[in-house]
Amino acid sequence: MKSRIINYNLAAEKAIFEMQSDIGAIENDPLLFEEKNFDQRTEAIDFIEFQIIDQIEGLLGETNQSDKLLLLKHRAEKVKSELEKINIILFRKLQKDIRNVGYTGKEFKSLVNKHVDFNLDDNEHQEEPGYDNLDIFINGLLSPKTMPEQTKDLEPEMVFYQKTPARIIFELADKIKFAKEDVFFDLGSGLGQAGILVNLLTGVTAKGVEFEPAFCDYSQDCVKKLNLSHITFINADARQADYSDGTIFFMYTPFNGEILQEVLEILRKESLLRKIKIITYGPCTPKIASQSWLDSAVSKDDNIYKLAVFTSLQN
Ligand SMILES: C[S@@+](CC[C@H](N)C(=O)[O-])C[C@H]1O[C@@H](n2cnc3c(N)ncnc32)[C@H](O)[C@@H]1O
């Protein structure tokens, strides 16, 4: 028993030594403190949180090294917060630029690309909605405020809020040849990121329909803070919204069952008046793939965590 404790303390000593050297390397790497190096900084923040602080918390109370561990934890938290502050300053600066200068289309994409290296080809192989550095960057830029509490109960067929991964929206903006007069609708728009990103990446008018008023206010607030135009968030049940100017409809599975069927019927009627596209992501895709009034290369058995594009057959 005694030798097991000694071995454990020796292992803890070794772990402390390694963590001290890892923190030292982060503290002394000037590149991590340069505003533009968002990707590397994000990796470092992640490493501190999950490889250092979590490890310290696991060791605390288990060894006779508590004093050393607490000092190390304090040092890790300090450098983490310094790195996070650089991101906050970076986002404030970029928000000011978007507000005052306005960045749309290629300019917005290259502003993001300057800070985050992302490859949209990876989207093809995702088996679930995974999030990455692009999401951390877009959240910091567009949705820095804490998410509001839900104020209304969802009906059983309504799906709770979950964000579409940002790279899926980047792919959508690349893949769909938007025309100037297109009007993009995000059905069940949550905190508004999909509509805001599509507007920033393509310049088209974007609208979001969201059941939860607090989410809608949050989205509208974002638009106001960034001084964006041609984006509106409508607080309504998707079964009651006005789609008369919509041409491109996006759904990250906002609802299912009869609600989905009812909304699809509304969209089918709209498609008799003009050609529309429906773009889906997630578990609602097979249901939409089975609609005879829509054309698509998507089969019911395709990966649901891949963008699926459907075009109405009439008009
Ligand atoms: C999976 S989330 C999608 C979020 C958003 N589209 C995005 O990509 O970030 C589903 C959203 O749909 C909303 N929702 C569910 N049922 C709805 C309905 N009948 N009408 C409008 N919004 C609804 C939920 O409140 C939630 O915010």
Side-chain angles (χ1 to χ4, degrees):
M1 180 68 181
K2 204 170 167 191
S3 78
R4 211 165 346 125
I5 293 172
I6 292 172
N7 280 346
Y8 196 80
N9 282 332
L10 279 176
E13 190 93 51
K14 186 166 171 265
I16 290 171
F17 177 77
E18 281 170 3
M19 287 190 285
Q20 275 167 339
S21 114
D22 285 337
I23 295 178
I26 292 173
E27 286 168 337
N28 293 311
D29 184 349
L31 291 179
L32 296 176
F33 296 83
E34 275 181 34
E35 229 171 61
K36 66 176 167 48
N37 295 329
F38 177 83
D39 257 341
Q40 293 93 318
R41 193 163 45 251
T42 303
E43 305 300 333
I45 293 172
D46 226 46
F47 183 84
I48 297 171
E49 193 166 332
F50 298 108
Q51 306 292 327
I52 298 187
I53 298 180
D54 277 4
Q55 193 180 170
I56 294 175
E57 278 164 3
L59 288 170
L60 272 169
E62 302 286 330
T63 72
N64 58 2
Q65 310 277 341
S66 298
D67 290 352
K68 264 193 198 167
L69 283 166
L70 284 172
L71 271 176
L72 198 56
K73 186 175 177 209
H74 177 71
R75 208 173 132 196
E77 281 168 347
K78 184 165 174 275
V79 67
K80 178 170 169 265
S81 127
E82 281 164 9
L83 294 172
E84 283 167 344
K85 258 188 222 145
I86 298 171
N87 284 350
I88 293 174
I89 294 167
L90 169 69
F91 290 133
R92 284 206 188 123
K93 204 164 102 187
L94 296 178
Q95 283 156 356
K96 195 169 160 211
D97 287 349
I98 293 178
R99 205 164 42 237
N100 297 338
V101 184
Y103 281 86
T104 330
K106 284 196 185 111
E107 284 175 0
F108 178 72
K109 203 168 165 190
S110 92
L111 178 137
V112 177
N113 255 145
K114 246 192 242 165
H115 300 91
V116 192
D117 184 21
F118 58 92
N119 180 4
L120 298 181
D121 293 340
D122 294 346
N123 290 1
E124 288 290 312
H125 315 292
Q126 302 284 331
E127 296 295 322
E128 53 184 45
Y131 300 91
D132 54 26
N133 283 2
L134 182 60
D135 292 284
I136 301 177
F137 184 84
I138 295 296
N139 287 347
L141 187 65
L142 304 184
S143 322
K145 277 194 319 178
T146 326
M147 181 173 165
E149 293 277 333
Q150 190 114 14
T151 61
K152 272 169 82 174
D153 287 338
L154 294 180
E155 290 175 26
E157 292 179 336
M158 296 181 174
V159 177
F160 63 89
Y161 175 66
Q162 191 180 359
K163 208 169 270 191
T164 308
R167 68 198 145 61
I168 297 293
I169 305 297
F170 274 66
E171 183 190 343
L172 186 159
D174 263 8
K175 205 168 186 170
I176 304 298
K177 302 285 164 249
F178 282 94
K180 257 201 335 273
E181 52 284 2
D182 270 325
V183 176
F184 172 87
F185 265 85
D186 180 16
L187 304 193
S189 50
L191 300 187
Q193 256 188 26
I196 295 176
L197 272 180
V198 165
N199 172 271
L200 282 168
L201 287 164
T202 69
V204 299
T205 297
K207 297 187 178 186
V209 179
E210 173 54 51
F211 180 76
E212 169 52 54
F215 293 175
C216 224
D217 289 348
Y218 182 104
S219 313
Q220 208 58 56
D221 215 32
C222 269
V223 169
K224 212 165 126 197
K225 287 215 167 96
L226 292 173
N227 194 22
L228 301 175
S229 44
H230 308 296
I231 312 186
T232 325
F233 290 97
I234 303 141
N235 179 215
D237 185 320
R239 287 168 289 188
Q240 270 111 46
D242 172 11
Y243 300 114
S244 55
D245 56 352
T247 55
I248 300 192
F249 297 88
F250 174 62
M251 288 193 242
Y252 172 21
T253 315
F255 27 72
N256 44 52
E258 282 177 21
I259 304 186
L260 180 57
Q261 193 52 54
E262 213 177 300
V263 172
L264 281 172
E265 182 50 22
I266 297 170
L267 296 182
R268 189 190 65 78
K269 286 186 182 146
E270 291 293 336
S271 81
L272 302 175
L273 307 171
R274 66 197 173 283
K275 212 171 206 32
I276 65 167
K277 275 191 186 348
I278 300 184
I279 306 165
T280 62
Y281 181 69
C284 70
T285 295
K287 172 79 183 166
I288 289 141
S290 71
Q291 304 295 305
S292 58
W293 56 280
L294 291 170
D295 184 21
S296 170
V298 179
S299 109
K300 276 187 233 166
D301 306 319
D302 273 0
N303 174 8
I304 56 170
Y305 290 109
K306 212 174 97 174
L307 269 187
V309 182
F310 303 89
T311 309
S312 61
L313 286 168
Q314 290 214 29
N315 271 282

